[in-house]
PDB file of all heavy atoms in Angstrom:
ATOM      1  N   ILE A 754       0.858  -1.183   0.000  1.00  0.00           N
ATOM      2  CA  ILE A 754       0.000   0.000   0.000  1.00  0.00           C
ATOM      3  C   ILE A 754       0.896   1.235   0.000  1.00  0.00           C
ATOM      4  O   ILE A 754       2.080   1.156   0.305  1.00  0.00           O
ATOM      5  CB  ILE A 754      -0.993  -0.002   1.193  1.00  0.00           C
ATOM      6  CG1 ILE A 754      -0.287  -0.036   2.543  1.00  0.00           C
ATOM      7  CG2 ILE A 754      -1.974  -1.146   1.044  1.00  0.00           C
ATOM      8  CD1 ILE A 754      -1.222   0.059   3.737  1.00  0.00           C
ATOM      9  N   SER A 755       0.323   2.358  -0.333  1.00  0.00           N
ATOM     10  CA  SER A 755       1.122   3.572  -0.507  1.00  0.00           C
ATOM     11  C   SER A 755       1.809   4.001   0.789  1.00  0.00           C
ATOM     12  O   SER A 755       1.349   3.703   1.888  1.00  0.00           O
ATOM     13  CB  SER A 755       0.255   4.712  -1.038  1.00  0.00           C
ATOM     14  OG  SER A 755      -0.477   5.322  -0.001  1.00  0.00           O
ATOM     15  N   GLY A 756       2.889   4.724   0.631  1.00  0.00           N
ATOM     16  CA  GLY A 756       3.649   5.243   1.770  1.00  0.00           C
ATOM     17  C   GLY A 756       2.896   6.313   2.541  1.00  0.00           C
ATOM     18  O   GLY A 756       3.316   6.705   3.627  1.00  0.00           O
ATOM     19  N   PHE A 757       1.782   6.775   2.011  1.00  0.00           N
ATOM     20  CA  PHE A 757       0.921   7.711   2.739  1.00  0.00           C
ATOM     21  C   PHE A 757      -0.088   6.922   3.581  1.00  0.00           C
ATOM     22  O   PHE A 757      -0.430   7.298   4.684  1.00  0.00           O
ATOM     23  CB  PHE A 757       0.157   8.620   1.765  1.00  0.00           C
ATOM     24  CG  PHE A 757       1.045   9.396   0.841  1.00  0.00           C
ATOM     25  CD1 PHE A 757       1.141   9.042  -0.504  1.00  0.00           C
ATOM     26  CD2 PHE A 757       1.789  10.467   1.293  1.00  0.00           C
ATOM     27  CE1 PHE A 757       1.968   9.742  -1.365  1.00  0.00           C
ATOM     28  CE2 PHE A 757       2.620  11.171   0.437  1.00  0.00           C
ATOM     29  CZ  PHE A 757       2.712  10.811  -0.891  1.00  0.00           C
ATOM     30  N   MET A 758      -0.562   5.824   3.014  1.00  0.00           N
ATOM     31  CA  MET A 758      -1.617   5.034   3.641  1.00  0.00           C
ATOM     32  C   MET A 758      -1.118   4.263   4.865  1.00  0.00           C
ATOM     33  O   MET A 758      -1.791   4.230   5.893  1.00  0.00           O
ATOM     34  CB  MET A 758      -2.183   4.065   2.591  1.00  0.00           C
ATOM     35  CG  MET A 758      -3.453   3.385   2.979  1.00  0.00           C
ATOM     36  SD  MET A 758      -4.794   4.557   2.863  1.00  0.00           S
ATOM     37  CE  MET A 758      -6.188   3.476   2.849  1.00  0.00           C
ATOM     38  N   LYS A 759       0.045   3.645   4.755  1.00  0.00           N
ATOM     39  CA  LYS A 759       0.520   2.780   5.836  1.00  0.00           C
ATOM     40  C   LYS A 759       0.691   3.500   7.170  1.00  0.00           C
ATOM     41  O   LYS A 759       0.143   3.052   8.175  1.00  0.00           O
ATOM     42  CB  LYS A 759       1.807   2.068   5.444  1.00  0.00           C
ATOM     43  CG  LYS A 759       2.292   1.154   6.584  1.00  0.00           C
ATOM     44  CD  LYS A 759       3.193   0.080   6.143  1.00  0.00           C
ATOM     45  CE  LYS A 759       3.659  -0.854   7.217  1.00  0.00           C
ATOM     46  NZ  LYS A 759       3.102  -0.786   8.534  1.00  0.00           N
ATOM     47  N   PRO A 760       1.439   4.615   7.244  1.00  0.00           N
ATOM     48  CA  PRO A 760       1.583   5.250   8.563  1.00  0.00           C
ATOM     49  C   PRO A 760       0.255   5.801   9.085  1.00  0.00           C
ATOM     50  O   PRO A 760       0.008   5.789  10.293  1.00  0.00           O
ATOM     51  CB  PRO A 760       2.604   6.363   8.333  1.00  0.00           C
ATOM     52  CG  PRO A 760       2.670   6.574   6.869  1.00  0.00           C
ATOM     53  CD  PRO A 760       2.250   5.285   6.230  1.00  0.00           C
ATOM     54  N   LEU A 761      -0.604   6.260   8.188  1.00  0.00           N
ATOM     55  CA  LEU A 761      -1.915   6.760   8.623  1.00  0.00           C
ATOM     56  C   LEU A 761      -2.704   5.634   9.284  1.00  0.00           C
ATOM     57  O   LEU A 761      -3.227   5.801  10.392  1.00  0.00           O
ATOM     58  CB  LEU A 761      -2.703   7.327   7.437  1.00  0.00           C
ATOM     59  CG  LEU A 761      -4.106   7.775   7.834  1.00  0.00           C
ATOM     60  CD1 LEU A 761      -4.206   9.288   7.841  1.00  0.00           C
ATOM     61  CD2 LEU A 761      -5.140   7.167   6.927  1.00  0.00           C
ATOM     62  N   LEU A 762      -2.788   4.494   8.618  1.00  0.00           N
ATOM     63  CA  LEU A 762      -3.563   3.387   9.173  1.00  0.00           C
ATOM     64  C   LEU A 762      -2.894   2.789  10.400  1.00  0.00           C
ATOM     65  O   LEU A 762      -3.582   2.442  11.368  1.00  0.00           O
ATOM     66  CB  LEU A 762      -3.802   2.321   8.112  1.00  0.00           C
ATOM     67  CG  LEU A 762      -4.690   2.749   6.942  1.00  0.00           C
ATOM     68  CD1 LEU A 762      -4.848   1.610   5.952  1.00  0.00           C
ATOM     69  CD2 LEU A 762      -6.038   3.257   7.420  1.00  0.00           C
ATOM     70  N   ASP A 763      -1.573   2.664  10.395  1.00  0.00           N
ATOM     71  CA  ASP A 763      -0.866   2.152  11.579  1.00  0.00           C
ATOM     72  C   ASP A 763      -1.235   2.976  12.812  1.00  0.00           C
ATOM     73  O   ASP A 763      -1.617   2.430  13.848  1.00  0.00           O
ATOM     74  CB  ASP A 763       0.651   2.226  11.399  1.00  0.00           C
ATOM     75  CG  ASP A 763       1.216   1.143  10.501  1.00  0.00           C
ATOM     76  OD1 ASP A 763       0.475   0.223  10.085  1.00  0.00           O
ATOM     77  OD2 ASP A 763       2.432   1.219  10.211  1.00  0.00           O
ATOM     78  N   ARG A 764      -1.119   4.269  12.689  1.00  0.00           N
ATOM     79  CA  ARG A 764      -1.369   5.140  13.843  1.00  0.00           C
ATOM     80  C   ARG A 764      -2.837   5.252  14.177  1.00  0.00           C
ATOM     81  O   ARG A 764      -3.223   5.260  15.349  1.00  0.00           O
ATOM     82  CB  ARG A 764      -0.749   6.517  13.608  1.00  0.00           C
ATOM     83  CG  ARG A 764       0.771   6.477  13.701  1.00  0.00           C
ATOM     84  CD  ARG A 764       1.448   7.818  13.486  1.00  0.00           C
ATOM     85  NE  ARG A 764       0.717   8.946  13.956  1.00  0.00           N
ATOM     86  CZ  ARG A 764       0.549  10.075  13.240  1.00  0.00           C
ATOM     87  NH1 ARG A 764       1.098  10.203  12.035  1.00  0.00           N
ATOM     88  NH2 ARG A 764      -0.136  11.085  13.734  1.00  0.00           N
ATOM     89  N   ALA A 765      -3.696   5.353  13.171  1.00  0.00           N
ATOM     90  CA  ALA A 765      -5.133   5.499  13.438  1.00  0.00           C
ATOM     91  C   ALA A 765      -5.694   4.262  14.131  1.00  0.00           C
ATOM     92  O   ALA A 765      -6.402   4.368  15.142  1.00  0.00           O
ATOM     93  CB  ALA A 765      -5.890   5.775  12.145  1.00  0.00           C
ATOM     94  N   PHE A 766      -5.363   3.085  13.608  1.00  0.00           N
ATOM     95  CA  PHE A 766      -5.890   1.867  14.214  1.00  0.00           C
ATOM     96  C   PHE A 766      -5.279   1.619  15.591  1.00  0.00           C
ATOM     97  O   PHE A 766      -5.962   1.151  16.499  1.00  0.00           O
ATOM     98  CB  PHE A 766      -5.695   0.671  13.275  1.00  0.00           C
ATOM     99  CG  PHE A 766      -6.783   0.570  12.238  1.00  0.00           C
ATOM    100  CD1 PHE A 766      -6.720   1.324  11.078  1.00  0.00           C
ATOM    101  CD2 PHE A 766      -7.875  -0.260  12.434  1.00  0.00           C
ATOM    102  CE1 PHE A 766      -7.725   1.253  10.123  1.00  0.00           C
ATOM    103  CE2 PHE A 766      -8.882  -0.350  11.489  1.00  0.00           C
ATOM    104  CZ  PHE A 766      -8.813   0.408  10.327  1.00  0.00           C
ATOM    105  N   TYR A 767      -4.001   1.959  15.757  1.00  0.00           N
ATOM    106  CA  TYR A 767      -3.362   1.778  17.064  1.00  0.00           C
ATOM    107  C   TYR A 767      -3.947   2.751  18.095  1.00  0.00           C
ATOM    108  O   TYR A 767      -4.277   2.349  19.218  1.00  0.00           O
ATOM    109  CB  TYR A 767      -1.843   1.969  16.948  1.00  0.00           C
ATOM    110  CG  TYR A 767      -1.099   1.598  18.200  1.00  0.00           C
ATOM    111  CD1 TYR A 767      -0.976   0.268  18.590  1.00  0.00           C
ATOM    112  CD2 TYR A 767      -0.520   2.576  19.005  1.00  0.00           C
ATOM    113  CE1 TYR A 767      -0.291  -0.079  19.746  1.00  0.00           C
ATOM    114  CE2 TYR A 767       0.166   2.238  20.157  1.00  0.00           C
ATOM    115  CZ  TYR A 767       0.273   0.908  20.521  1.00  0.00           C
ATOM    116  OH  TYR A 767       0.948   0.563  21.670  1.00  0.00           O
ATOM    117  N   ALA A 768      -4.092   4.020  17.724  1.00  0.00           N
ATOM    118  CA  ALA A 768      -4.659   5.011  18.645  1.00  0.00           C
ATOM    119  C   ALA A 768      -6.099   4.662  19.007  1.00  0.00           C
ATOM    120  O   ALA A 768      -6.521   4.820  20.153  1.00  0.00           O
ATOM    121  CB  ALA A 768      -4.582   6.409  18.037  1.00  0.00           C
ATOM    122  N   ASP A 769      -6.840   4.162  18.027  1.00  0.00           N
ATOM    123  CA  ASP A 769      -8.227   3.760  18.279  1.00  0.00           C
ATOM    124  C   ASP A 769      -8.270   2.607  19.275  1.00  0.00           C
ATOM    125  O   ASP A 769      -9.054   2.620  20.222  1.00  0.00           O
ATOM    126  CB  ASP A 769      -8.887   3.359  16.956  1.00  0.00           C
ATOM    127  CG  ASP A 769     -10.340   2.991  17.127  1.00  0.00           C
ATOM    128  OD1 ASP A 769     -11.112   3.830  17.621  1.00  0.00           O
ATOM    129  OD2 ASP A 769     -10.713   1.853  16.772  1.00  0.00           O
ATOM    130  N   LEU A 770      -7.410   1.623  19.071  1.00  0.00           N
ATOM    131  CA  LEU A 770      -7.363   0.468  19.964  1.00  0.00           C
ATOM    132  C   LEU A 770      -6.887   0.862  21.364  1.00  0.00           C
ATOM    133  O   LEU A 770      -7.530   0.539  22.366  1.00  0.00           O
ATOM    134  CB  LEU A 770      -6.423  -0.592  19.381  1.00  0.00           C
ATOM    135  CG  LEU A 770      -6.179  -1.829  20.232  1.00  0.00           C
ATOM    136  CD1 LEU A 770      -7.451  -2.664  20.339  1.00  0.00           C
ATOM    137  CD2 LEU A 770      -5.041  -2.653  19.659  1.00  0.00           C
ATOM    138  N   GLN A 771      -5.767   1.579  21.437  1.00  0.00           N
ATOM    139  CA  GLN A 771      -5.207   1.960  22.733  1.00  0.00           C
ATOM    140  C   GLN A 771      -6.121   2.918  23.496  1.00  0.00           C
ATOM    141  O   GLN A 771      -6.224   2.826  24.715  1.00  0.00           O
ATOM    142  CB  GLN A 771      -3.823   2.602  22.552  1.00  0.00           C
ATOM    143  CG  GLN A 771      -2.756   1.641  22.097  1.00  0.00           C
ATOM    144  CD  GLN A 771      -2.515   0.540  23.124  1.00  0.00           C
ATOM    145  OE1 GLN A 771      -2.310   0.795  24.309  1.00  0.00           O
ATOM    146  NE2 GLN A 771      -2.550  -0.696  22.663  1.00  0.00           N
ATOM    147  N   GLY A 772      -6.760   3.829  22.768  1.00  0.00           N
ATOM    148  CA  GLY A 772      -7.648   4.796  23.408  1.00  0.00           C
ATOM    149  C   GLY A 772      -9.043   4.268  23.659  1.00  0.00           C
ATOM    150  O   GLY A 772      -9.896   4.966  24.195  1.00  0.00           O
ATOM    151  N   ASN A 773      -9.283   3.004  23.254  1.00  0.00           N
ATOM    152  CA  ASN A 773     -10.578   2.360  23.461  1.00  0.00           C
ATOM    153  C   ASN A 773     -11.736   3.175  22.876  1.00  0.00           C
ATOM    154  O   ASN A 773     -12.803   3.251  23.464  1.00  0.00           O
ATOM    155  CB  ASN A 773     -10.810   2.064  24.944  1.00  0.00           C
ATOM    156  CG  ASN A 773     -11.816   0.960  25.144  1.00  0.00           C
ATOM    157  OD1 ASN A 773     -11.958   0.078  24.299  1.00  0.00           O
ATOM    158  ND2 ASN A 773     -12.521   1.017  26.254  1.00  0.00           N
ATOM    159  N   ARG A 774     -11.482   3.787  21.725  1.00  0.00           N
ATOM    160  CA  ARG A 774     -12.525   4.594  21.074  1.00  0.00           C
ATOM    161  C   ARG A 774     -13.507   3.734  20.290  1.00  0.00           C
ATOM    162  O   ARG A 774     -14.673   4.053  20.197  1.00  0.00           O
ATOM    163  CB  ARG A 774     -11.893   5.623  20.132  1.00  0.00           C
ATOM    164  CG  ARG A 774     -11.231   6.765  20.862  1.00  0.00           C
ATOM    165  CD  ARG A 774     -10.627   7.766  19.925  1.00  0.00           C
ATOM    166  NE  ARG A 774     -11.620   8.503  19.170  1.00  0.00           N
ATOM    167  CZ  ARG A 774     -11.368   9.624  18.517  1.00  0.00           C
ATOM    168  NH1 ARG A 774     -10.165  10.132  18.526  1.00  0.00           N
ATOM    169  NH2 ARG A 774     -12.305  10.243  17.845  1.00  0.00           N
ATOM    170  N   ASN A 775     -13.011   2.695  19.662  1.00  0.00           N
ATOM    171  CA  ASN A 775     -13.833   1.798  18.860  1.00  0.00           C
ATOM    172  C   ASN A 775     -14.557   2.490  17.699  1.00  0.00           C
ATOM    173  O   ASN A 775     -15.704   2.180  17.410  1.00  0.00           O
ATOM    174  CB  ASN A 775     -14.850   1.058  19.734  1.00  0.00           C
ATOM    175  CG  ASN A 775     -14.176   0.107  20.687  1.00  0.00           C
ATOM    176  OD1 ASN A 775     -13.258  -0.600  20.326  1.00  0.00           O
ATOM    177  ND2 ASN A 775     -14.610   0.124  21.936  1.00  0.00           N
ATOM    178  N   VAL A 776     -13.879   3.423  17.044  1.00  0.00           N
ATOM    179  CA  VAL A 776     -14.508   4.105  15.903  1.00  0.00           C
ATOM    180  C   VAL A 776     -14.576   3.204  14.674  1.00  0.00           C
ATOM    181  O   VAL A 776     -15.365   3.459  13.769  1.00  0.00           O
ATOM    182  CB  VAL A 776     -13.818   5.446  15.543  1.00  0.00           C
ATOM    183  CG1 VAL A 776     -13.868   6.410  16.708  1.00  0.00           C
ATOM    184  CG2 VAL A 776     -12.409   5.246  15.054  1.00  0.00           C
ATOM    185  N   PHE A 777     -13.777   2.148  14.635  1.00  0.00           N
ATOM    186  CA  PHE A 777     -13.789   1.232  13.501  1.00  0.00           C
ATOM    187  C   PHE A 777     -14.550  -0.059  13.813  1.00  0.00           C
ATOM    188  O   PHE A 777     -15.149  -0.653  12.932  1.00  0.00           O
ATOM    189  CB  PHE A 777     -12.350   0.873  13.095  1.00  0.00           C
ATOM    190  CG  PHE A 777     -11.536   2.051  12.681  1.00  0.00           C
ATOM    191  CD1 PHE A 777     -10.446   2.465  13.446  1.00  0.00           C
ATOM    192  CD2 PHE A 777     -11.830   2.766  11.532  1.00  0.00           C
ATOM    193  CE1 PHE A 777      -9.676   3.548  13.056  1.00  0.00           C
ATOM    194  CE2 PHE A 777     -11.071   3.853  11.140  1.00  0.00           C
ATOM    195  CZ  PHE A 777      -9.995   4.247  11.904  1.00  0.00           C
ATOM    196  N   ARG A 778     -14.525  -0.482  15.041  1.00  0.00           N
ATOM    197  CA  ARG A 778     -15.057  -1.788  15.448  1.00  0.00           C
ATOM    198  C   ARG A 778     -16.494  -1.998  14.988  1.00  0.00           C
ATOM    199  O   ARG A 778     -17.365  -1.167  15.196  1.00  0.00           O
ATOM    200  CB  ARG A 778     -14.966  -1.927  16.962  1.00  0.00           C
ATOM    201  CG  ARG A 778     -15.337  -3.290  17.457  1.00  0.00           C
ATOM    202  CD  ARG A 778     -15.052  -3.446  18.946  1.00  0.00           C
ATOM    203  NE  ARG A 778     -15.338  -4.784  19.366  1.00  0.00           N
ATOM    204  CZ  ARG A 778     -16.529  -5.160  19.850  1.00  0.00           C
ATOM    205  NH1 ARG A 778     -17.494  -4.278  19.998  1.00  0.00           N
ATOM    206  NH2 ARG A 778     -16.725  -6.416  20.188  1.00  0.00           N
ATOM    207  N   LEU A 779     -16.694  -3.134  14.340  1.00  0.00           N
ATOM    208  CA  LEU A 779     -17.985  -3.633  13.862  1.00  0.00           C
ATOM    209  C   LEU A 779     -18.624  -2.814  12.734  1.00  0.00           C
ATOM    210  O   LEU A 779     -19.771  -3.061  12.371  1.00  0.00           O
ATOM    211  CB  LEU A 779     -18.970  -3.816  15.018  1.00  0.00           C
ATOM    212  CG  LEU A 779     -18.506  -4.780  16.115  1.00  0.00           C
ATOM    213  CD1 LEU A 779     -19.538  -4.877  17.222  1.00  0.00           C
ATOM    214  CD2 LEU A 779     -18.192  -6.160  15.548  1.00  0.00           C
ATOM    215  N   LYS A 780     -17.885  -1.866  12.188  1.00  0.00           N
ATOM    216  CA  LYS A 780     -18.384  -1.146  11.015  1.00  0.00           C
ATOM    217  C   LYS A 780     -17.961  -1.919   9.773  1.00  0.00           C
ATOM    218  O   LYS A 780     -16.798  -2.313   9.654  1.00  0.00           O
ATOM    219  CB  LYS A 780     -17.815   0.272  10.956  1.00  0.00           C
ATOM    220  CG  LYS A 780     -18.357   1.163  12.033  1.00  0.00           C
ATOM    221  CD  LYS A 780     -17.836   2.572  11.905  1.00  0.00           C
ATOM    222  CE  LYS A 780     -18.420   3.409  13.034  1.00  0.00           C
ATOM    223  NZ  LYS A 780     -17.967   4.791  12.977  1.00  0.00           N
ATOM    224  N   PRO A 781     -18.880  -2.163   8.844  1.00  0.00           N
ATOM    225  CA  PRO A 781     -18.493  -2.861   7.618  1.00  0.00           C
ATOM    226  C   PRO A 781     -17.382  -2.110   6.886  1.00  0.00           C
ATOM    227  O   PRO A 781     -17.372  -0.875   6.852  1.00  0.00           O
ATOM    228  CB  PRO A 781     -19.774  -2.873   6.785  1.00  0.00           C
ATOM    229  CG  PRO A 781     -20.872  -2.666   7.763  1.00  0.00           C
ATOM    230  CD  PRO A 781     -20.298  -1.820   8.865  1.00  0.00           C
ATOM    231  N   ALA A 782     -16.456  -2.878   6.331  1.00  0.00           N
ATOM    232  CA  ALA A 782     -15.323  -2.289   5.607  1.00  0.00           C
ATOM    233  C   ALA A 782     -15.114  -3.033   4.292  1.00  0.00           C
ATOM    234  O   ALA A 782     -15.403  -4.220   4.179  1.00  0.00           O
ATOM    235  CB  ALA A 782     -14.056  -2.368   6.449  1.00  0.00           C
ATOM    236  N   ALA A 783     -14.610  -2.307   3.332  1.00  0.00           N
ATOM    237  CA  ALA A 783     -14.160  -2.903   2.074  1.00  0.00           C
ATOM    238  C   ALA A 783     -12.807  -2.295   1.763  1.00  0.00           C
ATOM    239  O   ALA A 783     -12.488  -1.195   2.227  1.00  0.00           O
ATOM    240  CB  ALA A 783     -15.151  -2.633   0.952  1.00  0.00           C
ATOM    241  N   VAL A 784     -12.016  -3.010   0.995  1.00  0.00           N
ATOM    242  CA  VAL A 784     -10.707  -2.502   0.600  1.00  0.00           C
ATOM    243  C   VAL A 784     -10.538  -2.648  -0.905  1.00  0.00           C
ATOM    244  O   VAL A 784     -11.058  -3.582  -1.511  1.00  0.00           O
ATOM    245  CB  VAL A 784      -9.550  -3.214   1.347  1.00  0.00           C
ATOM    246  CG1 VAL A 784      -9.671  -3.014   2.844  1.00  0.00           C
ATOM    247  CG2 VAL A 784      -9.497  -4.680   1.025  1.00  0.00           C
ATOM    248  N   VAL A 785      -9.817  -1.690  -1.484  1.00  0.00           N
ATOM    249  CA  VAL A 785      -9.588  -1.644  -2.928  1.00  0.00           C
ATOM    250  C   VAL A 785      -8.138  -1.238  -3.158  1.00  0.00           C
ATOM    251  O   VAL A 785      -7.640  -0.333  -2.495  1.00  0.00           O
ATOM    252  CB  VAL A 785     -10.521  -0.597  -3.581  1.00  0.00           C
ATOM    253  CG1 VAL A 785     -10.156  -0.354  -5.024  1.00  0.00           C
ATOM    254  CG2 VAL A 785     -11.972  -1.005  -3.442  1.00  0.00           C
ATOM    255  N   VAL A 786      -7.468  -1.914  -4.079  1.00  0.00           N
ATOM    256  CA  VAL A 786      -6.120  -1.512  -4.475  1.00  0.00           C
ATOM    257  C   VAL A 786      -6.080  -1.317  -5.984  1.00  0.00           C
ATOM    258  O   VAL A 786      -6.798  -1.971  -6.732  1.00  0.00           O
ATOM    259  CB  VAL A 786      -5.039  -2.520  -4.023  1.00  0.00           C
ATOM    260  CG1 VAL A 786      -4.938  -2.554  -2.504  1.00  0.00           C
ATOM    261  CG2 VAL A 786      -5.279  -3.905  -4.580  1.00  0.00           C
ATOM    262  N   VAL A 787      -5.219  -0.398  -6.401  1.00  0.00           N
ATOM    263  CA  VAL A 787      -5.112  -0.059  -7.814  1.00  0.00           C
ATOM    264  C   VAL A 787      -3.644   0.011  -8.193  1.00  0.00           C
ATOM    265  O   VAL A 787      -2.845   0.644  -7.499  1.00  0.00           O
ATOM    266  CB  VAL A 787      -5.779   1.307  -8.091  1.00  0.00           C
ATOM    267  CG1 VAL A 787      -5.702   1.658  -9.557  1.00  0.00           C
ATOM    268  CG2 VAL A 787      -7.227   1.307  -7.617  1.00  0.00           C
ATOM    269  N   SER A 788      -3.290  -0.660  -9.286  1.00  0.00           N
ATOM    270  CA  SER A 788      -1.912  -0.602  -9.747  1.00  0.00           C
ATOM    271  C   SER A 788      -1.871  -0.551 -11.265  1.00  0.00           C
ATOM    272  O   SER A 788      -2.866  -0.831 -11.932  1.00  0.00           O
ATOM    273  CB  SER A 788      -1.118  -1.821  -9.268  1.00  0.00           C
ATOM    274  OG  SER A 788      -1.427  -2.954 -10.043  1.00  0.00           O
ATOM    275  N   ARG A 789      -0.684  -0.244 -11.759  1.00  0.00           N
ATOM    276  CA  ARG A 789      -0.488  -0.262 -13.200  1.00  0.00           C
ATOM    277  C   ARG A 789      -0.587  -1.687 -13.712  1.00  0.00           C
ATOM    278  O   ARG A 789      -1.233  -1.961 -14.695  1.00  0.00           O
ATOM    279  CB  ARG A 789       0.870   0.345 -13.578  1.00  0.00           C
ATOM    280  CG  ARG A 789       1.115   0.364 -15.074  1.00  0.00           C
ATOM    281  CD  ARG A 789       2.527   0.798 -15.412  1.00  0.00           C
ATOM    282  NE  ARG A 789       3.529  -0.171 -15.033  1.00  0.00           N
ATOM    283  CZ  ARG A 789       3.862  -1.242 -15.754  1.00  0.00           C
ATOM    284  NH1 ARG A 789       3.256  -1.495 -16.881  1.00  0.00           N
ATOM    285  NH2 ARG A 789       4.790  -2.063 -15.328  1.00  0.00           N
ATOM    286  N   ARG A 790       0.084  -2.610 -13.000  1.00  0.00           N
ATOM    287  CA  ARG A 790       0.135  -3.972 -13.516  1.00  0.00           C
ATOM    288  C   ARG A 790       0.219  -5.035 -12.419  1.00  0.00           C
ATOM    289  O   ARG A 790      -0.546  -5.964 -12.397  1.00  0.00           O
ATOM    290  CB  ARG A 790       1.321  -4.112 -14.463  1.00  0.00           C
ATOM    291  CG  ARG A 790       1.411  -5.440 -15.140  1.00  0.00           C
ATOM    292  CD  ARG A 790       2.498  -5.442 -16.209  1.00  0.00           C
ATOM    293  NE  ARG A 790       2.571  -6.723 -16.833  1.00  0.00           N
ATOM    294  CZ  ARG A 790       1.983  -7.020 -17.973  1.00  0.00           C
ATOM    295  NH1 ARG A 790       1.258  -6.120 -18.597  1.00  0.00           N
ATOM    296  NH2 ARG A 790       2.110  -8.214 -18.494  1.00  0.00           N
ATOM    297  N   ALA A 791       1.200  -4.941 -11.544  1.00  0.00           N
ATOM    298  CA  ALA A 791       1.447  -6.030 -10.594  1.00  0.00           C
ATOM    299  C   ALA A 791       1.546  -5.490  -9.167  1.00  0.00           C
ATOM    300  O   ALA A 791       1.558  -4.297  -8.944  1.00  0.00           O
ATOM    301  CB  ALA A 791       2.744  -6.751 -10.970  1.00  0.00           C
TER     302      ALA A 791
END
């Protein structure tokens, strides 16, 4: 994944978990990736 996406998600998911906010928990999620070829 992009070098912008990884640190954002690492910190957001960690802060959410550690802070017990649960802003992501049990919300439906989908993921999409896009590349030129491989």
Side-chain angles (χ1 to χ4, degrees):
I754 59 176
S755 81
F757 303 106
M758 192 74 163
K759 180 158 182 8
L761 176 108
L762 294 180
D763 283 353
R764 288 180 33 226
F766 277 83
Y767 189 71
D769 183 58
L770 176 68
Q771 291 297 309
N773 203 29
R774 287 180 68 164
N775 293 317
V776 300
F777 299 113
R778 187 172 184 268
L779 301 179
K780 290 183 180 180
V784 300
V785 170
V786 294
V787 181
S788 77
R789 181 187 69 82
R790 185 172 180 97

